[in-house]
Amino acid sequence: MYIWTGIDVDSQLGNIKSAAKQIESDIGFANSNFTLPFHISLKMSFCVDNSIYADVINTILDYYKQIKPFDIEVAGIEKEETIVWIRMKESPTVNLIHDDLNRILLEKYNVPLHEYDMDYKFHTTLFMDSDTTKTDRAYNKIKSEKVPTSLRVEKILIGTSETGALGSYKVTHNITL
């Protein structure tokens, strides 16, 4: 089973989401980034054997019980290679959560670090496509949208997928801090 976890920022980015959905439709991206709520991933998704799945989820839930609401600063809308995202500024709190999750999952369940977890850039994905012409067009259409200067972190999500394929994840846990 594949597991993903992230900070829920969907309700705080409604205007951007509406604009991005329209742009995605107009341009015709192969895959949609709107199958999950807008979020800031806390770790790259990972696969665990079904026999330990429930234990892994409970470990993550136990860890999240200690986290209190906090704010994260927004850097703005950026394009990096084939992704357009809302980039977050460096945050000691988010870095700590990310590092703790990686450490706990590695020590308890031997979940290896993904290469992106080594230097993770916290963000909310707006568009992603291997066709840079599409992502360039999308970026040019969305870059002037107003984004908040900060977001309040009050909810964290956990989602799962049988295959790990983009668009196949479903939210299974919604944790209020």
PDB file of all heavy atoms in Angstrom, residues 2 4 24 29-36 39 45 83 125-130 161 163-170:
ATOM      1  N   TYR A   2       0.533   2.213  -0.789  1.00  0.00           N
ATOM      2  CA  TYR A   2       1.259   3.484  -0.840  1.00  0.00           C
ATOM      3  C   TYR A   2       0.605   4.463   0.123  1.00  0.00           C
ATOM      4  O   TYR A   2      -0.627   4.531   0.222  1.00  0.00           O
ATOM      5  CB  TYR A   2       1.241   4.061  -2.251  1.00  0.00           C
ATOM      6  CG  TYR A   2       2.123   3.306  -3.203  1.00  0.00           C
ATOM      7  CD1 TYR A   2       1.659   2.157  -3.820  1.00  0.00           C
ATOM      8  CD2 TYR A   2       3.416   3.735  -3.458  1.00  0.00           C
ATOM      9  CE1 TYR A   2       2.471   1.452  -4.695  1.00  0.00           C
ATOM     10  CE2 TYR A   2       4.231   3.034  -4.327  1.00  0.00           C
ATOM     11  CZ  TYR A   2       3.747   1.895  -4.946  1.00  0.00           C
ATOM     12  OH  TYR A   2       4.549   1.202  -5.799  1.00  0.00           O
ATOM     13  N   TRP A   4       0.688   8.563   1.604  1.00  0.00           N
ATOM     14  CA  TRP A   4       1.067   9.956   1.385  1.00  0.00           C
ATOM     15  C   TRP A   4       0.539  10.763   2.557  1.00  0.00           C
ATOM     16  O   TRP A   4      -0.473  10.414   3.152  1.00  0.00           O
ATOM     17  CB  TRP A   4       0.442  10.429   0.069  1.00  0.00           C
ATOM     18  CG  TRP A   4       0.193  11.892   0.034  1.00  0.00           C
ATOM     19  CD1 TRP A   4       1.051  12.871  -0.347  1.00  0.00           C
ATOM     20  CD2 TRP A   4      -1.003  12.561   0.431  1.00  0.00           C
ATOM     21  NE1 TRP A   4       0.469  14.098  -0.215  1.00  0.00           N
ATOM     22  CE2 TRP A   4      -0.799  13.929   0.258  1.00  0.00           C
ATOM     23  CE3 TRP A   4      -2.230  12.129   0.926  1.00  0.00           C
ATOM     24  CZ2 TRP A   4      -1.759  14.879   0.550  1.00  0.00           C
ATOM     25  CZ3 TRP A   4      -3.200  13.078   1.225  1.00  0.00           C
ATOM     26  CH2 TRP A   4      -2.966  14.433   1.037  1.00  0.00           C
ATOM     27  N   GLU A  24      -6.013  24.436 -16.251  1.00  0.00           N
ATOM     28  CA  GLU A  24      -5.757  23.022 -16.553  1.00  0.00           C
ATOM     29  C   GLU A  24      -6.714  22.527 -17.638  1.00  0.00           C
ATOM     30  O   GLU A  24      -6.302  21.833 -18.576  1.00  0.00           O
ATOM     31  CB  GLU A  24      -5.924  22.183 -15.282  1.00  0.00           C
ATOM     32  CG  GLU A  24      -5.697  20.698 -15.508  1.00  0.00           C
ATOM     33  CD  GLU A  24      -6.000  19.882 -14.273  1.00  0.00           C
ATOM     34  OE1 GLU A  24      -7.194  19.622 -14.021  1.00  0.00           O
ATOM     35  OE2 GLU A  24      -5.041  19.518 -13.575  1.00  0.00           O
ATOM     36  N   PHE A  29      -4.100  19.317 -19.721  1.00  0.00           N
ATOM     37  CA  PHE A  29      -3.037  18.507 -19.130  1.00  0.00           C
ATOM     38  C   PHE A  29      -3.425  17.028 -19.136  1.00  0.00           C
ATOM     39  O   PHE A  29      -4.603  16.692 -19.003  1.00  0.00           O
ATOM     40  CB  PHE A  29      -2.764  18.956 -17.688  1.00  0.00           C
ATOM     41  CG  PHE A  29      -1.935  20.202 -17.603  1.00  0.00           C
ATOM     42  CD1 PHE A  29      -2.538  21.453 -17.600  1.00  0.00           C
ATOM     43  CD2 PHE A  29      -0.563  20.125 -17.540  1.00  0.00           C
ATOM     44  CE1 PHE A  29      -1.779  22.605 -17.534  1.00  0.00           C
ATOM     45  CE2 PHE A  29       0.213  21.273 -17.470  1.00  0.00           C
ATOM     46  CZ  PHE A  29      -0.403  22.521 -17.467  1.00  0.00           C
ATOM     47  N   ALA A  30      -2.422  16.162 -19.280  1.00  0.00           N
ATOM     48  CA  ALA A  30      -2.664  14.711 -19.312  1.00  0.00           C
ATOM     49  C   ALA A  30      -3.173  14.207 -17.963  1.00  0.00           C
ATOM     50  O   ALA A  30      -4.030  13.338 -17.897  1.00  0.00           O
ATOM     51  CB  ALA A  30      -1.389  13.975 -19.706  1.00  0.00           C
ATOM     52  N   ASN A  31      -2.628  14.745 -16.863  1.00  0.00           N
ATOM     53  CA  ASN A  31      -3.027  14.332 -15.513  1.00  0.00           C
ATOM     54  C   ASN A  31      -3.439  15.551 -14.709  1.00  0.00           C
ATOM     55  O   ASN A  31      -2.843  16.614 -14.825  1.00  0.00           O
ATOM     56  CB  ASN A  31      -1.865  13.638 -14.791  1.00  0.00           C
ATOM     57  CG  ASN A  31      -1.484  12.343 -15.447  1.00  0.00           C
ATOM     58  OD1 ASN A  31      -2.300  11.443 -15.568  1.00  0.00           O
ATOM     59  ND2 ASN A  31      -0.245  12.252 -15.908  1.00  0.00           N
ATOM     60  N   SER A  32      -4.438  15.374 -13.867  1.00  0.00           N
ATOM     61  CA  SER A  32      -4.921  16.463 -13.033  1.00  0.00           C
ATOM     62  C   SER A  32      -4.253  16.432 -11.667  1.00  0.00           C
ATOM     63  O   SER A  32      -4.016  15.371 -11.098  1.00  0.00           O
ATOM     64  CB  SER A  32      -6.436  16.349 -12.847  1.00  0.00           C
ATOM     65  OG  SER A  32      -6.892  17.374 -11.986  1.00  0.00           O
ATOM     66  N   ASN A  33      -3.975  17.617 -11.134  1.00  0.00           N
ATOM     67  CA  ASN A  33      -3.454  17.741  -9.774  1.00  0.00           C
ATOM     68  C   ASN A  33      -4.571  18.051  -8.783  1.00  0.00           C
ATOM     69  O   ASN A  33      -4.303  18.444  -7.661  1.00  0.00           O
ATOM     70  CB  ASN A  33      -2.376  18.827  -9.716  1.00  0.00           C
ATOM     71  CG  ASN A  33      -1.081  18.336 -10.277  1.00  0.00           C
ATOM     72  OD1 ASN A  33      -0.503  17.389  -9.752  1.00  0.00           O
ATOM     73  ND2 ASN A  33      -0.622  18.942 -11.350  1.00  0.00           N
ATOM     74  N   PHE A  34      -5.811  17.867  -9.207  1.00  0.00           N
ATOM     75  CA  PHE A  34      -6.936  18.224  -8.361  1.00  0.00           C
ATOM     76  C   PHE A  34      -7.708  17.011  -7.869  1.00  0.00           C
ATOM     77  O   PHE A  34      -8.878  17.110  -7.522  1.00  0.00           O
ATOM     78  CB  PHE A  34      -7.847  19.202  -9.099  1.00  0.00           C
ATOM     79  CG  PHE A  34      -7.109  20.428  -9.537  1.00  0.00           C
ATOM     80  CD1 PHE A  34      -6.831  20.641 -10.878  1.00  0.00           C
ATOM     81  CD2 PHE A  34      -6.641  21.335  -8.614  1.00  0.00           C
ATOM     82  CE1 PHE A  34      -6.120  21.755 -11.282  1.00  0.00           C
ATOM     83  CE2 PHE A  34      -5.922  22.451  -9.003  1.00  0.00           C
ATOM     84  CZ  PHE A  34      -5.666  22.659 -10.348  1.00  0.00           C
ATOM     85  N   THR A  35      -7.056  15.867  -7.796  1.00  0.00           N
ATOM     86  CA  THR A  35      -7.713  14.671  -7.270  1.00  0.00           C
ATOM     87  C   THR A  35      -7.625  14.617  -5.747  1.00  0.00           C
ATOM     88  O   THR A  35      -8.360  13.856  -5.123  1.00  0.00           O
ATOM     89  CB  THR A  35      -7.097  13.397  -7.878  1.00  0.00           C
ATOM     90  OG1 THR A  35      -5.696  13.378  -7.601  1.00  0.00           O
ATOM     91  CG2 THR A  35      -7.328  13.347  -9.384  1.00  0.00           C
ATOM     92  N   LEU A  36      -6.743  15.395  -5.163  1.00  0.00           N
ATOM     93  CA  LEU A  36      -6.623  15.535  -3.705  1.00  0.00           C
ATOM     94  C   LEU A  36      -6.827  17.005  -3.354  1.00  0.00           C
ATOM     95  O   LEU A  36      -6.639  17.880  -4.202  1.00  0.00           O
ATOM     96  CB  LEU A  36      -5.229  15.104  -3.234  1.00  0.00           C
ATOM     97  CG  LEU A  36      -4.912  13.622  -3.243  1.00  0.00           C
ATOM     98  CD1 LEU A  36      -3.436  13.398  -2.929  1.00  0.00           C
ATOM     99  CD2 LEU A  36      -5.781  12.866  -2.260  1.00  0.00           C
ATOM    100  N   HIS A  39      -2.524  20.771  -0.881  1.00  0.00           N
ATOM    101  CA  HIS A  39      -1.768  20.377   0.306  1.00  0.00           C
ATOM    102  C   HIS A  39      -0.291  20.695   0.123  1.00  0.00           C
ATOM    103  O   HIS A  39       0.166  20.965  -0.982  1.00  0.00           O
ATOM    104  CB  HIS A  39      -1.938  18.881   0.567  1.00  0.00           C
ATOM    105  CG  HIS A  39      -1.413  18.043  -0.561  1.00  0.00           C
ATOM    106  ND1 HIS A  39      -2.177  17.738  -1.676  1.00  0.00           N
ATOM    107  CD2 HIS A  39      -0.202  17.483  -0.775  1.00  0.00           C
ATOM    108  CE1 HIS A  39      -1.452  17.022  -2.513  1.00  0.00           C
ATOM    109  NE2 HIS A  39      -0.250  16.858  -1.997  1.00  0.00           N
ATOM    110  N   SER A  45       5.564  10.224  -1.112  1.00  0.00           N
ATOM    111  CA  SER A  45       4.763   9.021  -0.878  1.00  0.00           C
ATOM    112  C   SER A  45       5.675   7.798  -0.881  1.00  0.00           C
ATOM    113  O   SER A  45       6.737   7.800  -1.505  1.00  0.00           O
ATOM    114  CB  SER A  45       3.666   8.891  -1.927  1.00  0.00           C
ATOM    115  OG  SER A  45       4.210   8.756  -3.207  1.00  0.00           O
ATOM    116  N   ILE A  83       7.145  21.535 -13.286  1.00  0.00           N
ATOM    117  CA  ILE A  83       6.146  21.726 -12.233  1.00  0.00           C
ATOM    118  C   ILE A  83       5.915  23.217 -11.994  1.00  0.00           C
ATOM    119  O   ILE A  83       6.860  24.003 -11.947  1.00  0.00           O
ATOM    120  CB  ILE A  83       6.604  21.068 -10.903  1.00  0.00           C
ATOM    121  CG1 ILE A  83       6.826  19.574 -11.082  1.00  0.00           C
ATOM    122  CG2 ILE A  83       5.603  21.327  -9.801  1.00  0.00           C
ATOM    123  CD1 ILE A  83       7.411  18.893  -9.876  1.00  0.00           C
ATOM    124  N   THR A 125       1.464  21.830  -5.383  1.00  0.00           N
ATOM    125  CA  THR A 125       1.536  21.696  -6.835  1.00  0.00           C
ATOM    126  C   THR A 125       0.273  22.228  -7.500  1.00  0.00           C
ATOM    127  O   THR A 125      -0.837  21.891  -7.101  1.00  0.00           O
ATOM    128  CB  THR A 125       1.733  20.214  -7.233  1.00  0.00           C
ATOM    129  OG1 THR A 125       2.930  19.725  -6.613  1.00  0.00           O
ATOM    130  CG2 THR A 125       1.839  20.056  -8.744  1.00  0.00           C
ATOM    131  N   LEU A 126       0.488  23.058  -8.520  1.00  0.00           N
ATOM    132  CA  LEU A 126      -0.613  23.560  -9.326  1.00  0.00           C
ATOM    133  C   LEU A 126      -0.730  22.774 -10.632  1.00  0.00           C
ATOM    134  O   LEU A 126      -1.808  22.349 -11.016  1.00  0.00           O
ATOM    135  CB  LEU A 126      -0.419  25.051  -9.633  1.00  0.00           C
ATOM    136  CG  LEU A 126      -0.397  25.981  -8.422  1.00  0.00           C
ATOM    137  CD1 LEU A 126       0.006  27.387  -8.834  1.00  0.00           C
ATOM    138  CD2 LEU A 126      -1.745  25.981  -7.734  1.00  0.00           C
ATOM    139  N   PHE A 127       0.406  22.604 -11.316  1.00  0.00           N
ATOM    140  CA  PHE A 127       0.444  21.883 -12.593  1.00  0.00           C
ATOM    141  C   PHE A 127       1.718  21.064 -12.675  1.00  0.00           C
ATOM    142  O   PHE A 127       2.767  21.483 -12.194  1.00  0.00           O
ATOM    143  CB  PHE A 127       0.441  22.861 -13.783  1.00  0.00           C
ATOM    144  CG  PHE A 127      -0.606  23.915 -13.713  1.00  0.00           C
ATOM    145  CD1 PHE A 127      -0.285  25.216 -13.348  1.00  0.00           C
ATOM    146  CD2 PHE A 127      -1.930  23.620 -13.999  1.00  0.00           C
ATOM    147  CE1 PHE A 127      -1.253  26.196 -13.282  1.00  0.00           C
ATOM    148  CE2 PHE A 127      -2.903  24.590 -13.928  1.00  0.00           C
ATOM    149  CZ  PHE A 127      -2.568  25.888 -13.569  1.00  0.00           C
ATOM    150  N   MET A 128       1.610  19.916 -13.334  1.00  0.00           N
ATOM    151  CA  MET A 128       2.783  19.077 -13.550  1.00  0.00           C
ATOM    152  C   MET A 128       2.559  18.317 -14.854  1.00  0.00           C
ATOM    153  O   MET A 128       1.513  17.688 -15.042  1.00  0.00           O
ATOM    154  CB  MET A 128       2.963  18.104 -12.382  1.00  0.00           C
ATOM    155  CG  MET A 128       4.188  17.239 -12.497  1.00  0.00           C
ATOM    156  SD  MET A 128       4.566  16.334 -10.964  1.00  0.00           S
ATOM    157  CE  MET A 128       3.005  15.595 -10.540  1.00  0.00           C
ATOM    158  N   ASP A 129       3.538  18.409 -15.763  1.00  0.00           N
ATOM    159  CA  ASP A 129       3.427  17.722 -17.045  1.00  0.00           C
ATOM    160  C   ASP A 129       4.822  17.626 -17.654  1.00  0.00           C
ATOM    161  O   ASP A 129       5.639  18.528 -17.475  1.00  0.00           O
ATOM    162  CB  ASP A 129       2.502  18.498 -17.985  1.00  0.00           C
ATOM    163  CG  ASP A 129       1.986  17.670 -19.129  1.00  0.00           C
ATOM    164  OD1 ASP A 129       2.767  17.361 -20.053  1.00  0.00           O
ATOM    165  OD2 ASP A 129       0.796  17.316 -19.098  1.00  0.00           O
ATOM    166  N   SER A 130       5.080  16.560 -18.357  1.00  0.00           N
ATOM    167  CA  SER A 130       6.388  16.413 -19.015  1.00  0.00           C
ATOM    168  C   SER A 130       6.513  17.352 -20.211  1.00  0.00           C
ATOM    169  O   SER A 130       7.613  17.595 -20.695  1.00  0.00           O
ATOM    170  CB  SER A 130       6.605  14.964 -19.459  1.00  0.00           C
ATOM    171  OG  SER A 130       5.586  14.575 -20.355  1.00  0.00           O
ATOM    172  N   SER A 161      -3.038   4.705  -1.597  1.00  0.00           N
ATOM    173  CA  SER A 161      -3.277   4.260  -2.961  1.00  0.00           C
ATOM    174  C   SER A 161      -2.805   2.821  -3.090  1.00  0.00           C
ATOM    175  O   SER A 161      -1.774   2.453  -2.523  1.00  0.00           O
ATOM    176  CB  SER A 161      -2.504   5.141  -3.946  1.00  0.00           C
ATOM    177  OG  SER A 161      -2.449   4.558  -5.225  1.00  0.00           O
ATOM    178  N   THR A 163      -1.848   1.600  -5.995  1.00  0.00           N
ATOM    179  CA  THR A 163      -0.830   1.562  -7.054  1.00  0.00           C
ATOM    180  C   THR A 163       0.253   2.623  -6.931  1.00  0.00           C
ATOM    181  O   THR A 163       1.323   2.485  -7.506  1.00  0.00           O
ATOM    182  CB  THR A 163      -1.487   1.737  -8.431  1.00  0.00           C
ATOM    183  OG1 THR A 163      -2.060   3.060  -8.511  1.00  0.00           O
ATOM    184  CG2 THR A 163      -2.552   0.686  -8.673  1.00  0.00           C
ATOM    185  N   GLY A 164      -0.047   3.719  -6.247  1.00  0.00           N
ATOM    186  CA  GLY A 164       0.898   4.830  -6.168  1.00  0.00           C
ATOM    187  C   GLY A 164       0.857   5.739  -7.377  1.00  0.00           C
ATOM    188  O   GLY A 164       1.617   6.702  -7.480  1.00  0.00           O
ATOM    189  N   ALA A 165      -0.049   5.477  -8.316  1.00  0.00           N
ATOM    190  CA  ALA A 165      -0.139   6.284  -9.532  1.00  0.00           C
ATOM    191  C   ALA A 165      -0.770   7.638  -9.226  1.00  0.00           C
ATOM    192  O   ALA A 165      -1.658   7.751  -8.377  1.00  0.00           O
ATOM    193  CB  ALA A 165      -0.965   5.551 -10.579  1.00  0.00           C
ATOM    194  N   LEU A 166      -0.319   8.658  -9.956  1.00  0.00           N
ATOM    195  CA  LEU A 166      -0.885   9.988  -9.838  1.00  0.00           C
ATOM    196  C   LEU A 166      -2.389   9.914 -10.075  1.00  0.00           C
ATOM    197  O   LEU A 166      -2.844   9.281 -11.016  1.00  0.00           O
ATOM    198  CB  LEU A 166      -0.237  10.921 -10.865  1.00  0.00           C
ATOM    199  CG  LEU A 166      -0.625  12.388 -10.792  1.00  0.00           C
ATOM    200  CD1 LEU A 166      -0.169  13.001  -9.475  1.00  0.00           C
ATOM    201  CD2 LEU A 166      -0.014  13.155 -11.955  1.00  0.00           C
ATOM    202  N   GLY A 167      -3.155  10.517  -9.182  1.00  0.00           N
ATOM    203  CA  GLY A 167      -4.603  10.509  -9.317  1.00  0.00           C
ATOM    204  C   GLY A 167      -5.292   9.345  -8.622  1.00  0.00           C
ATOM    205  O   GLY A 167      -6.517   9.300  -8.560  1.00  0.00           O
ATOM    206  N   SER A 168      -4.517   8.399  -8.091  1.00  0.00           N
ATOM    207  CA  SER A 168      -5.135   7.220  -7.468  1.00  0.00           C
ATOM    208  C   SER A 168      -5.214   7.317  -5.943  1.00  0.00           C
ATOM    209  O   SER A 168      -5.782   6.438  -5.304  1.00  0.00           O
ATOM    210  CB  SER A 168      -4.350   5.960  -7.856  1.00  0.00           C
ATOM    211  OG  SER A 168      -3.061   5.965  -7.267  1.00  0.00           O
ATOM    212  N   TYR A 169      -4.665   8.376  -5.357  1.00  0.00           N
ATOM    213  CA  TYR A 169      -4.677   8.518  -3.900  1.00  0.00           C
ATOM    214  C   TYR A 169      -6.019   9.029  -3.410  1.00  0.00           C
ATOM    215  O   TYR A 169      -6.640   9.885  -4.042  1.00  0.00           O
ATOM    216  CB  TYR A 169      -3.573   9.481  -3.433  1.00  0.00           C
ATOM    217  CG  TYR A 169      -2.214   8.861  -3.463  1.00  0.00           C
ATOM    218  CD1 TYR A 169      -1.465   8.840  -4.629  1.00  0.00           C
ATOM    219  CD2 TYR A 169      -1.679   8.268  -2.333  1.00  0.00           C
ATOM    220  CE1 TYR A 169      -0.214   8.259  -4.669  1.00  0.00           C
ATOM    221  CE2 TYR A 169      -0.424   7.684  -2.356  1.00  0.00           C
ATOM    222  CZ  TYR A 169       0.302   7.681  -3.530  1.00  0.00           C
ATOM    223  OH  TYR A 169       1.532   7.104  -3.556  1.00  0.00           O
ATOM    224  N   LYS A 170      -6.454   8.513  -2.272  1.00  0.00           N
ATOM    225  CA  LYS A 170      -7.668   8.950  -1.601  1.00  0.00           C
ATOM    226  C   LYS A 170      -7.314   9.327  -0.168  1.00  0.00           C
ATOM    227  O   LYS A 170      -6.520   8.648   0.484  1.00  0.00           O
ATOM    228  CB  LYS A 170      -8.718   7.826  -1.567  1.00  0.00           C
ATOM    229  CG  LYS A 170      -9.092   7.275  -2.928  1.00  0.00           C
ATOM    230  CD  LYS A 170      -9.891   8.270  -3.731  1.00  0.00           C
ATOM    231  CE  LYS A 170     -10.276   7.677  -5.064  1.00  0.00           C
ATOM    232  NZ  LYS A 170     -10.036   8.526  -6.169  1.00  0.00           N
TER     233      LYS A 170
END
